[in-house]
């Protein structure tokens, strides 16, 4: 729905807000904007979950003066860290979860990144779901195989299986890559990213507007 | 990086995916088993547990640049998923150092790769940096929210250089133990991979 | 035309010759099937024919000549190679790069510099050819193994190359899809494309293949279809080749344990989150007096049923009783041998793997002897061939002492010798009194060990009957012409 370039812009703006102090109201507006975009991009459950986490963090911030112990102080400080980084985390989550791999490749090429970076980055994105599935499947099988073993041993055995799977997958993926001429990437004509819509411009203007607002506060 | 073949780049990408999931799992476990301290100890625990991925990658792609690309891919992903932006600098800096030390120095020792791994493990300190290097930012933030100076100084009393050094020491221990464990695991289970025939895998 | 003259290949200077001075020609528009026992060199030859092997194995050395249209393979640029040859590999999970089907189909077109109009045209045409139009906007992660393999074939053929090379394309496909694939390949051949297919399952290529290249330890023998059909059955089996045609014959009988074990599943209905029920079983009863075969098309619910039986899905969804007693922990009752066997190996040698399950010397010796594992005891399980891995997986299942063994496609990708070894292990399990459930659509395996057939359709058991002879072939072959 929202162009990947605008999502990158949002991420960049959240990073700017890390380095210049801003009012909690501004942060809440930014978080609200990001959550609504996430909601519109059909990640409804996730946006509600992230919204609840944000409210909890705000609650901790309000309750800070009542934390007297060392543990309480540490806990409070961590909550502060999360709160500060929260807009970045939301923007990142939006970017990663709602963008297509093909858009990523086009964006990376548009940024003129060299092939030796584009290829591994694309492969990484592509294989994260693959290994997630493999992990689940293997962990389950190991539980069936040795029901009474410790969690550490089971994780170790799962890791061994996944490492072997990684070697085999890299062999197979390389064959597929060579067969499709993936290393020809540099000579491809650049297909176009979809052009920016009214919604994209609206989001971009609102987020840039936040920076302008901050300058006046 | 032109000496890295398509296979090397695929391998680096695939191992980055596996490493990312391993770090994710370690983060999850740390956050829930050690609710507060876990976040500080995360780099040390990660260094302790993910050594085998690093050493297997070294075995599969024994060339300069593999570790840097692996780290850069991870770092880019962390940057794009909203982690602290300066973390990528620590990430890249230490892994580049590890790569350079492992392949470009003439220093000969049996434990060269292990020393490289220790250097690489410090790249995971990125997320901790905000606490020490953005202290002023937090103070300003808290002040703008109306917290008293005593409260603020109370909160940051242990964000000290001593605590920082202690954490760095834990990472060193984690990296040494994790590195030795990782090397042993790889040597035991993956001894024959370098001369593996494709026909062994397929009928 | 492809011409090979005294073609030899070694994986490294100390290894024996994998291919031994092969000389052959493949004419344009011909369909050649590479066949042979495990380890005969089929995959090596295939990877040489699609010009990939030299780039994959740096220490390998190739001798002799290999030319494509009178041009040596070394003179082909990447662009020319990709344009000329399309390749499909065995594993559907690791040969795609994009997350959407449409983007996967676009990949090769863009790499060849086609315009977006040409690309769209090709996508529409090839998607129609492979009947995957309704999958175009689906995520690759939501496709079944069979659908992924079809998409992989379409993606490899998208630019209509002159040579189309496939490595065991039927390995993850159900019967119906295998026949669909055969139809598509027939159509592609009519368009003049040269087809080179490495396969163990030969029956679906009978109408398609012009010649068969039989490889035996790197040596080549060429047969026409008639010559191969005319081979006596014993000789064909000795060559390690699977059946070309199926005849109706009584199924063999073998011994079962006298101690009866009966597993009953209460009526179960299962649906994944917010989706239609995938499984609705009114009654399921398995006994160890028969080897139970579970068959059905992809998506029929076989995997879900197996996961329910193994305890991988919520316990309360399927209550099991063994000999009248309720099973509380399903994971200690059953042992699943998955289709991808490597996902269960965790030790550094075959012996260590066996010892991790059982330390009983007598049993270990029996298993090693029976399944011929002695030559590979010191090997890393991951370095074994497919057949050896399957034998090891079955040895582990038998050593586990679990009452209920579930085997998922145990003979996928195996030659005739290994097929008989798997059958032997199944018969041993039956003799030892294990309850067996085998998911398969391999007719040859069913002919060797099948005694009862459960056919799953849309989540329901549509057929549950004892097998007397192999006339159930119509269920699997979906083709009136076949016997």
């Amino acid at each position: 729905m929202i162009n990947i370039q605008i999502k990158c812009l949002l991420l960049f703006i959240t990073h700017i807000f890390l380095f210049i102090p801003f009012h909690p109201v501004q942060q809440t507006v930014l978080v609200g904007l990001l959550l609504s975009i996430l909601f519109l991009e059909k990640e409804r459950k996730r946006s509600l979950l992230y919204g609840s986490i944000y409210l909890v963090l705000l609650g901790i911030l309000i309750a800070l003066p009542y934390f007297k112990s060392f543990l309480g102080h540490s806990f409070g400080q961590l909550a502060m860290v999360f709160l500060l980084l929260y807009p970045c985390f939301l923007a990142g989550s939006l970017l990663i979860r709602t963008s297509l791999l093909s858009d990523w490749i086009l964006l990376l090429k548009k940024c003129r990144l060299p092939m030796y970076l584009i290829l591994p980055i694309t492969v990484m994105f592509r294989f994260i779901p693959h290994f997630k599935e493999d992990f689940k499947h293997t962990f389950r099988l190991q539980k069936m195989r040795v029901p009474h073993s410790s969690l550490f041993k089971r994780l170790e055995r799962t890791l061994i299986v996944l490492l072997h799977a990684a070697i085999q997958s890299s062999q197979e993926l390389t064959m597929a890559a060579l067969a499709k001429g993936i290393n020809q990437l540099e000579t491809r004509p650049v297909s176009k990213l979809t052009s920016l819509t009214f919604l994209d411009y609206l989001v971009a203007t609102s987020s840039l507007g936040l920076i302008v607002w901050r300058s006046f506060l | 990086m032109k000496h890295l073949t398509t296979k090397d780049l695929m391998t680096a990408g695939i191992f980055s995916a596996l490493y990312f999931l391993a770090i994710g799992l370690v983060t999850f476990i740390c956050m829930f088993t050690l609710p507060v301290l876990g976040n500080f100890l995360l780099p040390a625990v990660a260094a302790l547990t993910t050594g085998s991925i690093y050493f297997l990658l070294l075995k599969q792609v024994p060339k300069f640049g593999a570790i840097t690309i692996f780290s850069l891919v991870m770092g880019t992903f962390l940057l794009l998923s909203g982690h602290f932006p300066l973390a990528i600098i620590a990430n890249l800096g230490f892994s580049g150092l590890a790569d350079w030390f492992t392949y470009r120095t003439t220093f000969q020792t049996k434990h060269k790769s292990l020393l490289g791994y220790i250097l690489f493990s410090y790249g995971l300190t990125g997320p901790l940096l905000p606490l020490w290097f953005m202290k002023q930012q937090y103070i300003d933030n808290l002040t703008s929210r109306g917290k008293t100076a005593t409260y603020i100084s109370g909160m940051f009393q242990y964000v000290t250089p001593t605590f920082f050094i202690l954490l760095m020491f834990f990472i060193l221990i984690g990296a040494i133990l994790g590195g030795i464990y990782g090397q042993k695991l790889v040597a035991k289970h993956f001894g024959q991979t370098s001369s593996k025939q494709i026909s062994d895998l397929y009928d | 035309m492809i011409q090979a003259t005294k073609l030899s290949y070694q994986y490294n200077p100390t290894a024996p010759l994998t291919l031994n001075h092969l000389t052959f020609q493949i004419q344009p528009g011909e369909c050649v099937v590479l066949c042979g026992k495990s380890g005969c060199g089929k995959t090596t030859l295939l990877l040489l024919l699609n010009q990939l092997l030299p780039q994959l194995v740096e220490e390998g050395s190739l001798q002799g000549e290999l030319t494509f249209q009178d041009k040596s393979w070394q003179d082909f640029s990447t662009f020319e190679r990709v344009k000329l040859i399309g390749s499909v590999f065995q594993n559907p999970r690791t040969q795609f790069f994009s997350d959407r089907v449409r983007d996967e189909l676009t990949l090769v077109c863009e790499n060849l510099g086609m315009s977006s109009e040409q690309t769209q045209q090709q996508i529409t045409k090839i998607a129609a050819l492979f009947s995957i139009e309704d999958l175009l906007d689906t995520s690759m992660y939501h496709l079944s193994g069979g659908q992924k393999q079809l998409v992989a074939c379409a993606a490899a053929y998208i630019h209509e190359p002159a040579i189309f090379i496939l490595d065991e394309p039927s390995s993850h496909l159900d019967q119906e899809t295998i026949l669909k694939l055969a139809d598509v390949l027939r159509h592609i051949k009519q368009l003049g494309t040269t087809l080179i297919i490495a396969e163990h399952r030969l029956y679906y290529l009978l109408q398609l293949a012009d010649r068969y290249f039989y490889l035996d330890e790197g040596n080549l023998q060429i047969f026409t279809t008639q010559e191969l059909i005319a081979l006596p059955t014993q000789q064909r089996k000795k060559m390690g080749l699977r059946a070309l045609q199926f005849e109706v014959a009584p199924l063999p009988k073998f011994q079962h344990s006298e101690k009866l074990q009966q597993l009953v599943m209460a009526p179960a209905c299962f649906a994944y989150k917010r989706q239609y029920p995938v499984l609705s079983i009114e009654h399921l009863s398995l006994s160890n007096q028969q080897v139970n075969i579970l068959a059905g098309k992809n998506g029929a619910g076989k995997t879900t049923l197996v996961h329910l039986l193994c305890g991988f899905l919520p316990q309360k969804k399927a209550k099991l009783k063994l000999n009248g007693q309720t099973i509380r922990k399903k994971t200690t009752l059953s042992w699943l041998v998955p289709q991808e066997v490597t996902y269960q190996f965790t030790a550094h040698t075959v012996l260590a793997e066996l010892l991790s399950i059982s330390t009983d010397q007598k049993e270990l010796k029996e298993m090693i002897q029976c399944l011929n594992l002695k030559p590979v005891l010191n090997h890393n399980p991951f370095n074994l061939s497919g057949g050896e891995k399957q034998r090891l997986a079955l040895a582990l299942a038998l050593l586990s002492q679990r009452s209920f063994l579930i085997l998922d496609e145990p003979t996928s990708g195996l030659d005739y010798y290994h097929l008989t070894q798997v059958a032997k292990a199944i018969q041993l399990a039956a003799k030892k009194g294990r309850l067996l459930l085998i998911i398969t659509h391999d007719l040859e395996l069913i002919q060797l060990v099948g005694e009862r057939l459960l056919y799953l359709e849309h989540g329901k058991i549509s057929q549950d009957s004892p097998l007397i002879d192999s006339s159930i072939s119509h269920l699997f072959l979906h083709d009136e012409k076949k016997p």
Side-chain angles (χ1 to χ4, degrees):
Chain A
M1 197 173 270
I2 306 285
N3 196 296
I4 194 172
Q5 292 165 107
I6 302 297
K7 289 176 195 166
C8 284
L9 175 70
L10 283 169
L11 183 68
F12 180 65
I13 287 171
T14 56
H15 284 162
I16 291 178
F17 272 113
L18 271 184
F19 294 99
I20 49 172
F22 59 98
H23 198 269
V25 173
Q26 289 174 325
Q27 185 187 35
T28 312
V29 168
L30 182 60
V31 166
L33 176 69
L34 291 166
L35 285 173
S36 33
I37 297 172
L38 198 62
F39 191 85
L40 285 172
E41 288 276 4
K42 305 209 168 101
E43 289 274 347
R44 299 202 170 114
K45 252 191 173 169
R46 200 166 285 279
S47 68
L48 290 171
L49 173 68
Y50 290 164
S52 323
I53 294 173
Y54 185 64
L55 290 171
V56 165
L57 287 172
L58 280 179
I60 293 171
L61 175 69
I62 294 165
L64 262 180
Y66 304 102
F67 292 162
K68 300 268 190 259
S69 64
F70 172 77
L71 204 65
H73 278 170
S74 317
F75 192 64
Q77 189 185 15
L78 270 169
M80 282 300 308
V81 172
F82 285 145
L83 208 58
L84 203 67
L85 291 174
Y86 208 68
C88 294
F89 161 72
L90 275 184
S93 189
L94 177 68
L95 184 60
I96 300 282
R97 287 187 187 279
T98 63
S99 307
L100 289 174
L101 199 54
S102 45
D103 283 344
W104 272 115
I105 301 174
L106 292 169
L107 183 71
L108 293 173
K109 281 175 64 204
K110 201 170 178 179
C111 299
R112 302 205 188 284
L113 277 184
M115 192 195 67
Y116 61 79
L117 281 181
I118 296 182
L119 213 47
I121 291 174
T122 343
V123 168
M124 183 191 180
F125 276 130
R126 151 76 181 88
F127 268 79
I128 286 174
H130 176 105
F131 280 122
K132 252 193 196 164
E133 209 182 296
D134 279 0
F135 173 80
K136 216 168 90 178
H137 181 55
T138 309
F139 197 67
R140 234 170 16 187
L141 267 180
Q142 291 308 316
K143 189 179 178 189
M144 175 202 78
R145 204 183 128 114
V146 192
H148 307 296
S149 86
S150 68
L151 180 67
F152 171 74
K153 272 280 162 201
R154 209 181 293 158
L155 283 172
E156 187 192 40
R157 284 196 292 264
T158 308
L159 179 65
I160 292 167
V161 172
L162 292 180
L163 287 170
H164 279 288
I167 295 173
Q168 189 163 339
S169 302
S170 69
Q171 184 90 281
E172 291 167 358
L173 195 71
T174 308
M175 289 200 291
L178 293 172
K180 292 182 199 234
I182 298 276
N183 51 343
Q184 280 275 101
L185 229 60
E186 286 135 336
T187 63
R188 282 166 59 170
V190 179
S191 320
K192 297 198 181 78
L193 279 165
T194 50
S195 42
L196 300 173
T197 60
F198 172 71
L199 192 61
D200 293 322
Y201 285 115
L202 188 66
V203 168
T205 321
S206 324
S207 48
L208 288 167
L210 275 170
I211 297 183
V212 171
W213 179 18
R214 185 241 156 280
S215 326
F216 283 113
L217 217 76
Chain B
M1 302 291 185
K2 293 220 161 33
H3 60 286
L4 292 171
T5 61
T6 308
K7 180 166 187 205
D8 300 331
L9 298 172
M10 295 290 163
T11 309
I14 285 176
F15 275 72
S16 306
L18 190 57
Y19 187 68
F20 171 77
L21 285 172
I23 296 284
L25 188 67
V26 166
T27 310
F28 184 77
I29 291 174
C30 278
M31 269 170 54
F32 287 97
T33 52
L34 304 161
V36 172
L37 212 56
N39 290 284
F40 293 106
L41 291 180
L42 181 56
V45 177
L48 187 66
T49 50
T50 57
S52 48
I53 302 175
Y54 177 93
F55 287 106
L56 190 57
L57 177 67
L58 268 192
K59 195 184 172 82
Q60 293 294 109
V61 191
K63 297 176 186 173
F64 176 77
I67 297 298
T68 313
I69 300 241
F70 168 73
S71 196
L72 193 59
V73 167
M74 266 293 294
T76 311
F77 186 79
L78 289 173
L79 179 72
L80 293 172
S81 51
H83 285 73
F84 182 59
L86 294 182
I88 195 176
I89 297 173
N91 206 351
L92 202 56
F94 281 107
S95 54
L97 211 60
D99 218 349
W100 172 81
F101 180 79
T102 313
Y103 292 110
R104 288 285 154 93
T105 53
T106 48
F107 182 58
Q108 289 301 328
T109 167
K110 200 170 77 164
H111 303 295
K112 203 169 183 184
S113 332
L114 182 62
L115 292 169
Y117 179 63
I118 294 169
L119 282 170
F120 172 80
S121 301
Y122 280 100
L124 301 165
T125 55
L128 290 181
L129 299 179
L131 290 171
W132 278 268
F133 298 97
M134 280 173 55
K135 201 162 149 173
Q136 195 53 47
Q137 171 71 358
Y138 289 141
I139 292 170
D140 291 344
N141 226 313
L142 287 174
T143 319
S144 73
R145 285 172 164 84
K147 307 294 170 208
T148 63
T150 41
Y151 181 78
I152 292 165
S153 60
M155 265 199 74
F156 281 85
Q157 67 190 343
Y158 59 93
V159 179
T160 58
T162 319
F163 193 48
F164 187 77
I165 290 167
L166 196 66
L167 287 181
M168 296 301 112
F169 178 71
F170 281 139
I171 294 174
L172 176 69
I173 301 296
I176 292 173
L177 294 174
I180 293 171
Y181 168 73
Q183 280 180 315
K184 285 208 163 119
L185 193 98
V186 169
K188 185 178 176 189
H189 290 271
F190 300 89
Q192 295 168 41
T193 44
S194 52
S195 56
K196 192 114 190 36
Q197 290 189 20
I198 292 172
S199 61
D200 279 349
L201 286 173
Y202 304 106
D203 282 334
Chain C
M1 185 179 79
I2 305 171
Q3 167 87 42
T5 316
K6 294 202 177 146
L7 193 68
S8 298
Y9 190 81
Q10 266 179 303
Y11 275 93
N12 63 65
T14 55
L17 285 176
T18 308
L19 296 177
N20 194 2
H21 297 90
L22 307 185
T23 301
F24 58 84
Q25 268 188 1
I26 300 177
Q27 302 298 334
E30 202 182 350
C31 174
V32 163
V33 174
L34 306 184
C35 55
K37 292 182 196 166
S38 303
C40 65
K42 290 197 306 295
T43 305
T44 309
L45 180 56
L46 211 69
L47 289 174
L48 281 174
L49 289 171
N50 60 15
Q51 301 181 17
L52 297 183
L53 196 57
Q55 296 174 74
L56 290 168
V57 182
E58 288 160 9
E59 315 90 51
S61 71
L62 175 64
Q63 280 136 46
E65 275 175 28
L66 180 63
T67 59
F68 296 76
Q69 294 154 352
D70 296 319
K71 189 172 166 184
S72 170
W73 67 271
Q74 287 156 317
D75 299 332
F76 277 83
S77 67
T78 307
F79 179 87
E80 287 165 342
R81 173 177 53 75
V82 172
K83 191 152 190 229
L84 178 68
I85 305 168
S87 300
V88 179
F89 303 96
Q90 274 186 44
N91 190 346
R93 291 182 77 217
T94 54
Q95 55 181 316
F96 62 91
F97 290 87
S98 319
D99 47 8
R100 253 189 346 163
V101 172
R102 190 183 289 277
D103 298 326
E104 189 61 27
L105 296 178
T106 315
L107 206 59
V108 175
C109 296
E110 290 202 335
N111 288 350
L112 291 175
M114 284 191 199
S115 69
S116 54
E117 292 81 31
Q118 271 179 299
T119 308
Q120 284 317 305
Q121 253 181 335
Q122 285 302 116
I123 290 177
T124 315
K125 186 175 169 189
I126 302 300
L129 176 65
F130 283 84
S131 314
I132 53 166
E133 298 107 311
D134 49 340
L135 297 177
L136 282 175
D137 291 303
T138 322
S139 164
M140 291 293 299
Y141 302 108
H142 296 154
L143 299 181
S144 68
Q147 286 173 321
K148 278 183 185 140
Q149 191 65 313
L150 268 184
V151 169
C153 293
Y157 192 69
I158 194 77
H159 56 298
E160 294 180 280
I163 302 172
F164 195 35
I165 294 179
L166 302 104
D167 191 357
E168 291 197 46
S170 68
S171 52
H172 289 79
L173 304 182
D174 63 8
Q175 279 309 120
E176 197 184 350
T177 323
I178 288 174
L179 294 172
K180 202 199 250 181
L181 177 69
D183 262 331
V184 173
L185 292 175
R186 212 167 297 148
H187 188 95
I188 288 174
K189 190 185 166 201
Q190 278 166 3
L191 296 172
T193 313
T194 308
L195 292 173
I196 303 170
I197 310 170
E199 259 296 0
H200 280 292
R201 281 190 194 136
L202 303 175
Y203 68 88
Y204 78 98
L205 298 169
L206 208 56
Q207 316 273 327
L208 189 63
D210 296 307
R211 285 187 296 161
Y212 292 82
F213 282 20
Y214 173 72
L215 283 158
D216 182 17
E217 288 176 0
N219 298 308
L220 178 66
Q221 249 184 298
I222 301 178
F223 294 90
T224 60
T225 309
Q226 286 74 30
E227 283 167 357
L228 204 67
I229 294 174
L231 279 178
T233 309
Q234 277 305 357
Q235 194 184 346
R236 181 199 32 93
K237 287 181 180 177
K238 200 171 158 203
M239 285 163 76
L241 297 176
R242 300 278 218 110
L244 288 132
Q245 292 168 313
F246 296 99
E247 285 155 8
V248 178
L251 300 176
K253 294 251 170 269
F254 49 89
Q255 197 190 355
H256 285 270
S257 164
E258 282 164 10
K259 188 177 169 193
L260 173 68
Q261 299 254 55
Q262 187 121 12
L263 185 74
V264 176
M265 187 169 95
C269 190
F270 186 83
Y272 290 103
K273 283 183 227 177
R274 289 180 280 132
Q275 285 174 35
Y276 292 110
V278 293
L279 205 63
S280 177
I281 306 285
E282 281 164 16
H283 176 76
L284 181 65
S285 167
L286 303 170
S287 111
N288 68 344
Q289 300 303 306
Q290 291 171 310
V291 172
N292 306 288
I293 305 288
L294 179 65
K297 294 181 197 172
N298 279 349
K302 302 191 294 290
T303 311
T304 311
L305 176 59
V306 158
H307 285 183
L308 272 177
L309 290 169
C310 287
F312 291 166
L313 293 170
Q315 199 78 339
K316 58 185 192 290
K317 291 284 177 185
K319 294 192 171 50
L320 289 182
K321 280 192 179 169
L322 181 69
N323 302 329
Q325 284 190 329
T326 310
I327 301 292
R328 291 195 190 288
K329 266 209 140 175
K330 287 179 198 152
T331 44
T332 47
L333 163 76
S334 46
W335 183 280
L336 170 67
V337 177
Q339 192 172 0
E340 298 285 345
V341 285
T342 46
Y343 283 87
Q344 57 178 321
F345 299 148
T346 56
H348 60 296
T349 59
V350 167
L351 185 60
E353 196 72 55
L354 293 167
L355 286 169
S356 69
I357 301 295
S358 166
T359 46
D360 186 319
Q361 294 292 321
K362 190 174 156 215
E363 271 194 26
L364 279 169
K365 280 196 175 129
E366 187 197 353
M367 217 45 65
I368 291 168
Q369 164 84 9
C370 217
L371 293 168
N372 194 20
L373 289 172
K374 199 162 177 199
V376 296
L377 281 179
N378 279 329
H379 290 210
N380 189 312
F382 290 91
N383 296 347
L384 300 177
S385 70
E388 288 163 346
K389 278 179 187 163
Q390 197 63 254
R391 295 209 303 268
L392 176 58
L394 289 167
L396 294 172
L398 284 165
L399 284 170
S400 73
Q401 303 298 338
R402 302 274 173 93
S403 318
F404 185 24
L405 302 184
I406 307 173
L407 311 183
D408 191 351
E409 300 288 356
T411 54
S412 176
L414 299 188
D415 64 9
Y416 187 77
Y417 167 71
H418 288 105
L419 167 73
T420 54
Q421 291 292 298
V422 168
K424 194 169 143 189
I426 292 170
Q427 286 168 359
L428 180 63
K431 190 172 158 190
K432 285 182 180 281
R434 308 293 163 81
L435 267 154
L436 285 160
L437 183 65
I438 305 171
I439 303 176
T440 187
H441 54 266
D442 187 339
L443 202 49
E444 277 177 280
L445 178 66
I446 298 173
Q447 285 180 331
L448 285 171
V449 299
E451 291 174 310
R452 178 180 169 212
L453 175 71
L454 293 149
Y455 196 82
L456 212 57
E457 250 179 319
H458 306 298
K460 294 186 162 78
I461 298 178
S462 65
Q463 181 164 336
D464 180 353
S465 54
L467 289 168
I468 305 158
D469 57 33
S470 59
S471 60
I472 32 83
S473 61
H474 70 275
L475 257 179
F476 294 91
L477 297 175
H478 291 274
D479 190 331
E480 283 157 16
K481 289 179 215 147
K482 298 273 187 299

